[in-house]
C-alpha cells in the first residue's frame, strides 16, 4: 500500500512537473516573441509644423477653460473666427475670449483673414498644413513598416524601448506608460494607431501619463493617429510626444478644472482641436524669469535649455531679453517675434529656418553657424547693424542661400556646402577673412570685399571652384565684387572678338569682377585647373583677358604659378594696376594652350553590371577623340574606352565591369579630351558607388535658362513625385511620373522661374533625392 501511494505521488508529481514545464515553455515562448525588438523609428521632419504647439488643420481650435497655456504657436488655415478662447501672446490680439474660456498662445496665432488674421499668417499656416501632412505620411505604417503591438493595443503598464509600435487602436488605460531611452538621448519612439488613440479612463482618478526614463526626451516621441485622439477626458495626466491625427484631437472635458498637460504638439489635419484647462509645452519659449543668460534652464518654458533638434521662440517679454555669451548652443528653427531681442557674443548653431519678426538680433560680436541638412536660407532681415554678423560658418552639404545682402566683419568659415547668393551680395568687410574654401565649399554668386587688403575671392559655380584675386586697394571704403560662371562666355562676350596679343580665350568659364565703389586700380590674378580650364601647356603664353565692351583685351602676364599638362593648375597675374573691370577669362597668346572643349555636362550612373557615361559638348574646333578613364582610388586613372569626336553634341559610353575582380567601395571616372595636335584636357572626376545602387539624380544644365533636364536612376519601377521648390519651401512645379527600372529622363520648363536658387526634389519609395540648381 505504501508502494502504491508512493507510485501515485510520484506519478502526480511527474504530471504536475510536466504541466509546469509546458507552462514555462509556453511562457518563455511568448516572452521570446514579445522580446523581439521593434524596428528602429525615424523621426519626421516637421518643417513649419515644428513652430506649432497646436494646429487645427482647416477646422480651427477651441478652448473651453480659463487656464489654458500654450507654449508655442497655434493656427489653422481656416478663418480667424475658427480660433475661439485664445489671445495672441505676441500681439495681444483676442480670438473670442470670454470669462469662461481664456487661453494664452505664447508663440502667436496664425490664421486666414479676417483680421487679426492676414495673408501673411495664412501663407505661414498653409505651409504648416503641407508640412504636417508630409510628416504624417512619413511616420505612417506604409513609410515605416514592421511595427509591433506589445500589449494587444493596451500600452498601460508597459515599459518600452525605442522603436516602432503599431496597433489598430492604442490606449493607455490600466496604468501609466513608461518609455526607456536606455541612456540614448537620441532614442525615437513611433506609435502607429491605424484608428483611434485614447489616453485615460472616465472618473476622477482616470488620468494616465507617459513617463520618460533614462534620458528619454518628449521631442523624440511621435503618435500617428488614423482617426481621432482623446487625451485624458477626465482631466489631469501628462501626455508626451507629438500627436499627428487625421481627425479630431480632444484634451479633457468641459467642466474639468484639473490641468491636463501635453509635453509635445497636437497637430490635426482634417478636424479641430478642443481643449479644457490644458498646458502644452511644444517649443522652448524664452521667459527670462531668472536672468538674461541663455544657458539658464529656468529662463525657458520647458525648464530645459534648447538643443539642436528643438524649435525656439523668443517673444517680446517684459523681463530679460536673452544673451548667449558663453559656449556653443544649438537649436533647429528660430523665431523672434515683434519687439523681441537676442544678442549672441559666443556661438549659436542653427539647423533650420530663421524667422526674425523682431528685427533685434545682434551678432556683431558673435558666431552664427548655419548647419542644417536640408537647404537653408539666411533671410534679408536677420541681423541688426546692416545685417552684420562677426563670424559666419556655412556647414550644410545641401547648401545655404541668401535672402538679402549680409556682411561678415571678422571671419567667414566654409566648412561644408555652398553659399549661394542669388542676386544678393555676401560682403567681407575691411580686415575680415575667409577660410576653408575648396572644390566643394565656395561662394556661388556675388562676393564683395571692402577695404585695403589684397584678397582672394573663394568663388565657384557648377561644381567648379575658381578663385580670383586682387591686390590691395588704396582706400578703406573701396570695394570690389566678384563672381564666377562655369560656362561659355560667348553668348554675352563673343570669344571670337580678340584684341592684339590674344590667339584664343576660354570657352568654358569667366569671372565678373567690378569695382563697385572708389577709384582704386588693382592687379587681377586668375586661377586655372585642367578639370575646368582645359589644356595648359605653356605658362609663358597664358594671359589675363578682360572684356572692354566690344572685345577681349590682353591684360598681360606678369607672373604665373603651377603646373602644365595632365595636372595643370595654378594662377596667372595681369599687368599692374588695371583700371578697367568687368568680365575676365583665361587667354593665350599662342595655340600652345588649347584651353577647353566646352563640356556642357558629364554624368556617370551605375546600371546592371556596367557604368553608363554620358556627356555633351560644344565648341569642338580641333577635337580628335575622348578617352574614358577609370580609377579605383580617384588618383591613378587608366583608359577603358575611346569615343571619336563628332563636332559638338551628345556622347555615351558603357563601361563593362565584368573584368573587375576586386570589390572597391567606389569607382571614379573622368574624360580625357584629346585635340588633333595631341594636347589634352580633363573633365571633373565623378564617383560611382560600386555597391548596390538604389537611386540617383542628375540635373542639367545648371544654371538653367529654359529647360531643366532630370536624369533619374531607380533600382525598381515605381511612381514618384517630382517638385521644383524655391528657397522658401514653396512648391512651384509638380509632376507625377512612373519611373522605370534603370535610367529615366524628364524635363521641366524653367523659363518662367525668376533668377535664383531652387531645389528639384524626387520622392518615391526607392528614390528620395534632391538637387539644387540655379535659374540664370
Amino acid at each position: 500500500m505504501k508502494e502504491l501511494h508512493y507510485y501515485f505521488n510520484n506519478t502526480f508529481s511527474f504530471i504536475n512537473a510536466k504541466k509546469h514545464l509546458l507552462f514555462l515553455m509556453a511562457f518563455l515562448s511568448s516572452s521570446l516573441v514579445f522580446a523581439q525588438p521593434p524596428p528602429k523609428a525615424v523621426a519626421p521632419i516637421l518643417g513649419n509644423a515644428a513652430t506649432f504647439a497646436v494646429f487645427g488643420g482647416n477646422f480651427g481650435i477651441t478652448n473651453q477653460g480659463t487656464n489654458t497655456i500654450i507654449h508655442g504657436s497655434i493656427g489653422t488655415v481656416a478663418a480667424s473666427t475658427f480660433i475661439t478662447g485664445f489671445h495672441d501672446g505676441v500681439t495681444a490680439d483676442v480670438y473670442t475670449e470670454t470669462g469662461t474660456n481664456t487661453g494664452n498662445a505664447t508663440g502667436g496665432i496664425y490664421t486666414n483673414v479676417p483680421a487679426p488674421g492676414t495673408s501673411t499668417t495664412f501663407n505661414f499656416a498653409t505651409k504648416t498644413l503641407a508640412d504636417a501632412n508630409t510628416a504624417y505620411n512619413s511616420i505612417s505604417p506604409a513609410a515605416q513598416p514592421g511595427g509591433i503591438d506589445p500589449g494587444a493595443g493596451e500600452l498601460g503598464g508597459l515599459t518600452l524601448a525605442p522603436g516602432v509600435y503599431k496597433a489598430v487602436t492604442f490606449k493607455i488605460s490600466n496604468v501609466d506608460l513608461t518609455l526607456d531611452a536606455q541612456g540614448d538621448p537620441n532614442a525615437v519612439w513611433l506609435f502607429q494607431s491605424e484608428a483611434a488613440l485614447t489616453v485615460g479612463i472616465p472618473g476622477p482618478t482616470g488620468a494616465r501619463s507617459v513617463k520618460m526614463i533614462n534620458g528619454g526626451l518628449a521631442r523624440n516621441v511621435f503618435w500617428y493617429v488614423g482617426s481621432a485622439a482623446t487625451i485624458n477626458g477626465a482631466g489631469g495626466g501628462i501626455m508626451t510626444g507629438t500627436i499627428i491625427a487625421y481627425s479630431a484631437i480632444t484634451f479633457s472635458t468641459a467642466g474639468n478644472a484639473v490641468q491636463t498637460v501635453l509635453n509635445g504638439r497636437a497637430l490635426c489635419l482634417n478636424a479641430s482641436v478642443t481643449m479644457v484647462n490644458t498646458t502644452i509645452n511644444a517649443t522652448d519659449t524664452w521667459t527670462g524669469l531668472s536672468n538674461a543668460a541663455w544657458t539658464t534652464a529656468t529662463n525657458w518654458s520647458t525648464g530645459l535649455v534648447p538643443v539642436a533638434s528643438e524649435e525656439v521662440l523668443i517673444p517680446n517679454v517684459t523681463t530679460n531679453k536673452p544673451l548667449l555669451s558663453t559656449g556653443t548652443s544649438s537649436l533647429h528653427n528660430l523665431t523672434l517675434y515683434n519687439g523681441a531681442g537676442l544678442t549672441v557674443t559666443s556661438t549659436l548653431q542653427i539647423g533650420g529656418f530663421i524667422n526674425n519678426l523682431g528685427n533685434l538680433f545682434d551678432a556683431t560680436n558673435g558666431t552664427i553657424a548655419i548647419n542644417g541638412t536640408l537647404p537653408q536660407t539666411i533671410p534679408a532681415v536677420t541681423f541688426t547693424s546692416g545685417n552684420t554678423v562677426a563670424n559666419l560658418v556655412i556647414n550644410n552639404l545641401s547648401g545655404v542661400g541668401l535672402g538679402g545682402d549680409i556682411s561678415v566683419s571678422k571671419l567667414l568659415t566654409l566648412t561644408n556646402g555652398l553659399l549661394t547668393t542669388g542676386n544678393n551680395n555676401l560682403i567681407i568687410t575691411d580686415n575680415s577673412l575667409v577660410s576653408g574654401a575648396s572644390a566643394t565649399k565656395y561662394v556661388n554668386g556675388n562676393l564683395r570685399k571692402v577695404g585695403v587688403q589684397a584678397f582672394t575671392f573663394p568663388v565657384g559655380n557648377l561644381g567648379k571652384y575658381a578663385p580670383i584675386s586682387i591686390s590691395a586697394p588704396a582706400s578703406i571704403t573701396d570695394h570690389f565684387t566678384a563672381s564666377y560662371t562655369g560656362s561659355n562666355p560667348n553668348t554675352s562676350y563673343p570669344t571670337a572678338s580678340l584684341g592684339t596679343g590674344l590667339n584664343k580665350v576660354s570657352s568654358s568659364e569667366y569671372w565678373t569682377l567690378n569695382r563697385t565703389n572708389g577709384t582704386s586700380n588693382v592687379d587681377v590674378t586668375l586661377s586655372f585647373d585642367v578639370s575646368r580650364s582645359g589644356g595648359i601647356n605653356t605658362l609663358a603664353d597664358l594671359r589675363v583677358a578682360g572684356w572692354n565692351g566690344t572685345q577681349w583685351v590682353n591684360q598681360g602676364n606678369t607672373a604665373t604659378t603651377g603646373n602644365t599638362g595632365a595636372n595643370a593648375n595654378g594662377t596667372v597675374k595681369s599687368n599692374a594696376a588695371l583700371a578697367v573691370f568687368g568680365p575676365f577669362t583665361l587667354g593665350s597668346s599662342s595655340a600652345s594652350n588649347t584651353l577647353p572643349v566646352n563640356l556642357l555636362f558629364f554624368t556617370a550612373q551605375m546600371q546592371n553590371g556596367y557604368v553608363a557615361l554620358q556627356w555633351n559638348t560644344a565648341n569642338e574646333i580641333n577635337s580628335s577623340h575622348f578617352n574614358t578613364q577609370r580609377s579605383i582610388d580617384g588618383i591613378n586613372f587608366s583608359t577603358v574606352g575611346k569615343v571619336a569626336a563628332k563636332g559638338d553634341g551628345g556622347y555615351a559610353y558603357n563601361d563593362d565591369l565584368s573584368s573587375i575582380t576586386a570589390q572597391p567601395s567606389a569607382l571614379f571616372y573622368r574624360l580625357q579630351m584629346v585635340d588633333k595636335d595631341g594636347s589634352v584636357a580633363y573633365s571633373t572626376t565623378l564617383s560611382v558607388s560600386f555597391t548596390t545602387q538604389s537611386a540617383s539624380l542628375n540635373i542639367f544644365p545648371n544654371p538653367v535658362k529654359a529647360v531643366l533636364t532630370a536624369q533619374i536612376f531607380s533600382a525598381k519601377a515605381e511612381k514618384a513625385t517630382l517638385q521644383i521648390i524655391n528657397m522658401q519651401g514653396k512648391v512651384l512645379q509638380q509632376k507625377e511620373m512612373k519611373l522605370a527600372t534603370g535610367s529615366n529622363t524628364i524635363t521641366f520648363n524653367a523659363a518662367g522661374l525668376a533668377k535664383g536658387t531652387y531645389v528639384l526634389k524626387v520622392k518615391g519609395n526607392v528614390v528620395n533625392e534632391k538637387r539644387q540648381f540655379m535659374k540664370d
Side-chain angles (χ1 to χ4, degrees):
M1 192 70 180
K2 287 182 180 180
E3 291 178 357
L4 186 60
H5 179 74
Y6 174 81
Y7 170 79
F8 276 105
N9 279 344
N10 281 276
T11 300
F12 287 134
S13 297
F14 172 77
I15 293 172
N16 287 334
K18 189 173 181 180
K19 286 181 178 180
H20 281 92
L21 179 61
L22 290 173
F23 174 79
L24 180 61
M25 291 175 64
F27 174 79
L28 288 174
S29 175
S30 64
S31 296
L32 288 171
V33 172
F34 177 76
Q36 292 297 316
K40 183 178 180 180
V42 179
I45 296 172
L46 295 175
N48 266 28
T51 307
F52 285 79
V54 184
F55 194 77
N58 54 4
F59 284 85
I61 303 167
T62 300
N63 168 44
Q64 297 176 332
T66 58
N67 188 31
T68 292
I69 304 173
I70 310 298
H71 292 296
S73 301
I74 70 173
T76 176
V77 296
S80 60
T81 53
F82 283 71
I83 300 284
T84 60
F86 285 98
H87 62 269
D88 190 317
V90 177
T91 65
D93 290 322
V94 175
Y95 292 72
T96 322
E97 280 188 322
T98 68
T100 58
N101 57 352
T102 303
N104 181 9
T106 64
I109 300 177
Y110 294 80
T111 72
N112 201 350
V113 293
T118 66
S119 60
T120 300
T121 58
F122 172 68
N123 290 337
F124 197 76
T126 300
K127 176 63 167 57
T128 300
L129 181 57
D131 288 350
N133 271 290
T134 298
Y136 181 77
N137 291 331
S138 74
I139 60 174
S140 68
Q144 297 195 44
I148 66 172
D149 185 349
E154 173 61 69
L155 299 175
L158 301 180
T159 298
L160 298 179
V164 181
Y165 299 91
K166 176 186 173 184
V168 175
T169 61
F170 270 131
K171 56 184 178 179
I172 306 173
S173 58
N174 293 339
V175 287
D176 295 341
L177 167 65
T178 301
L179 303 181
D180 183 358
Q182 301 174 346
D184 180 7
N186 297 312
V188 176
W189 291 261
L190 171 55
F191 296 92
Q192 299 166 336
S193 179
E194 295 182 79
L197 167 66
T198 304
V199 177
I201 58 176
T205 61
R208 299 292 179 256
S209 298
V210 177
K211 300 177 178 179
M212 313 297 298
I213 62 172
N214 295 325
L217 298 174
R219 63 172 175 264
N220 292 331
V221 181
F222 299 91
W223 301 85
Y224 169 96
V225 183
S227 58
T230 302
I231 310 301
N232 285 322
I238 300 175
M239 181 58 180
T240 299
T242 294
I243 305 168
I244 312 182
Y246 187 82
S247 55
I249 304 177
T250 303
F251 293 88
S252 190
T253 305
N256 287 331
V258 63
Q259 204 75 2
T260 301
V261 176
L262 169 65
N263 291 324
R265 298 174 181 84
L267 308 177
C268 199
L269 305 180
N270 298 290
S272 61
V273 179
T274 303
M275 61 196 73
V276 178
N277 292 327
T278 301
T279 298
I280 297 184
N281 300 308
T283 60
D284 271 2
T285 301
W286 174 263
T287 64
L289 294 177
S290 296
N291 51 47
W294 178 282
T295 53
T296 299
T298 51
N299 283 323
W300 297 96
S301 62
T302 61
L304 297 169
V305 177
V307 296
S309 62
E310 291 186 319
E311 173 84 11
V312 171
L313 304 178
I314 311 295
N316 180 14
V317 295
T318 57
T319 51
N320 301 289
K321 297 188 186 299
L323 168 64
L324 176 55
S325 59
T326 59
T328 298
S329 291
S330 301
L331 53 83
H332 189 62
N333 295 334
L334 173 65
T335 299
L336 287 87
Y337 287 101
N338 189 29
L342 170 61
T343 301
V344 177
T345 59
S346 58
T347 300
L348 178 62
Q349 298 178 334
I350 301 173
F353 65 69
I354 305 171
N355 183 24
N356 186 359
L357 305 174
N359 201 25
L360 182 58
F361 189 174
D362 187 350
T364 52
N365 293 297
T367 298
I368 302 297
I370 308 297
N371 63 343
T373 56
L374 297 176
Q376 292 175 272
T377 299
I378 303 175
V381 179
T382 300
F383 306 105
T384 52
S385 301
N387 211 23
T388 298
V389 57
N391 305 296
L392 178 64
V393 179
I394 302 300
N395 184 20
N396 185 335
L397 289 173
S398 297
V400 177
L402 293 187
D405 292 358
I406 187 172
S407 295
V408 178
S409 62
K410 291 184 179 179
L411 177 64
L412 169 68
T413 302
L414 300 169
T415 302
N416 281 305
L418 309 185
L419 177 57
T420 299
T421 65
N423 296 321
N424 306 301
N425 294 297
L426 172 66
I427 303 168
I428 307 298
T429 63
D430 186 53
N431 282 316
S432 187
L433 303 173
V434 177
S435 70
S438 73
T440 58
K441 305 173 294 179
Y442 55 78
V443 177
N444 179 22
N446 300 320
L447 176 58
R448 176 173 296 169
K449 178 63 177 73
V450 182
V452 293
Q453 298 83 37
F455 187 72
T456 297
F457 296 81
V459 291
N461 179 238
L462 299 179
K464 306 170 185 178
Y465 174 52
I468 180 175
S469 303
I470 59 172
S471 58
S475 171
I476 196 172
T477 59
D478 287 1
H479 52 71
F480 288 79
T481 303
S483 63
Y484 171 76
T485 304
S487 59
N488 196 342
N490 188 62
T491 302
S492 302
Y493 317 108
T495 55
S497 298
L498 302 175
T500 303
L502 289 177
N503 175 267
K504 63 178 67 175
V505 295
S506 173
S507 61
S508 70
E509 61 183 346
Y510 65 97
W511 293 262
T512 302
L513 175 68
N514 288 313
R515 183 174 57 198
T516 43
N517 192 63
T519 59
S520 294
N521 297 331
V522 296
D523 308 344
V524 175
T525 300
L526 305 181
S527 62
F528 62 86
D529 185 278
V530 67
S531 66
R532 59 178 170 81
S533 306
I536 307 292
N537 299 308
T538 306
L539 291 179
D541 292 349
L542 272 181
R543 296 292 183 269
V544 173
W547 182 258
N548 69 356
T550 58
Q551 64 179 355
W552 290 101
V553 176
N554 177 11
Q555 297 289 16
N557 175 348
T558 60
T560 58
T561 66
N563 308 311
T564 60
N567 296 311
N569 65 85
T571 63
V572 55
K573 185 178 180 180
S574 73
N575 296 326
L578 301 186
V580 178
F581 301 94
F584 288 89
T585 194
L586 295 167
S588 180
S589 63
S590 71
S592 174
N593 296 310
T594 59
L595 298 179
V597 168
N598 190 10
L599 188 64
L600 299 179
F601 74 87
F602 174 42
T603 63
Q605 291 184 334
M606 183 74 74
Q607 304 282 4
N608 296 323
Y610 64 90
V611 173
L613 305 178
Q614 292 184 315
W615 65 97
N616 199 301
T617 68
N619 199 40
E620 284 188 44
I621 298 173
N622 294 304
S623 298
S624 169
H625 62 277
F626 299 87
N627 290 326
T628 56
Q629 298 188 329
R630 181 176 70 201
S631 169
I632 62 173
D633 59 9
I635 300 173
N636 301 299
F637 285 83
S638 59
T639 297
V640 293
K642 179 179 178 180
V643 179
K646 59 183 180 182
D648 300 352
Y651 295 87
Y653 178 82
N654 293 333
D655 182 29
D656 186 355
L657 303 179
S658 60
S659 62
I660 297 180
T661 56
Q663 296 289 312
S665 60
L667 294 174
F668 301 86
Y669 288 89
R670 71 182 184 186
L671 294 177
Q672 185 186 59
M673 298 171 282
V674 184
D675 267 11
K676 292 176 181 178
D677 62 2
S679 60
V680 300
Y682 293 87
S683 71
T684 55
T685 298
L686 303 179
S687 64
V688 178
S689 173
F690 194 75
T691 56
T692 301
Q693 185 174 349
S694 62
S696 66
L697 170 64
N698 289 297
I699 59 175
F700 58 87
N702 191 359
V704 62
K705 290 184 179 294
V707 178
L708 180 73
T709 299
Q711 289 184 329
I712 308 164
F713 173 80
S714 179
K716 71 175 189 177
E718 66 163 340
K719 291 183 179 180
T721 301
L722 293 80
Q723 297 175 324
I724 290 180
I725 304 169
N726 66 17
M727 297 308 288
Q728 288 71 47
K730 183 178 180 180
V731 177
L732 304 180
Q733 294 186 36
Q734 179 168 308
K735 294 183 178 183
E736 304 296 327
M737 181 181 183
K738 186 173 182 180
L739 300 177
T741 301
S743 183
N744 302 264
T745 301
I746 189 169
T747 60
F748 287 85
N749 182 2
L753 298 177
K755 288 186 177 181
T757 304
Y758 299 88
V759 172
L760 176 64
K761 179 180 180 181
V762 182
K763 174 65 175 175
N765 291 327
V766 174
V767 181
N768 188 6
E769 301 283 331
K770 57 175 70 69
R771 295 290 183 271
Q772 191 175 91
F773 68 92
M774 294 287 294
K775 172 61 167 59
D776 197 353

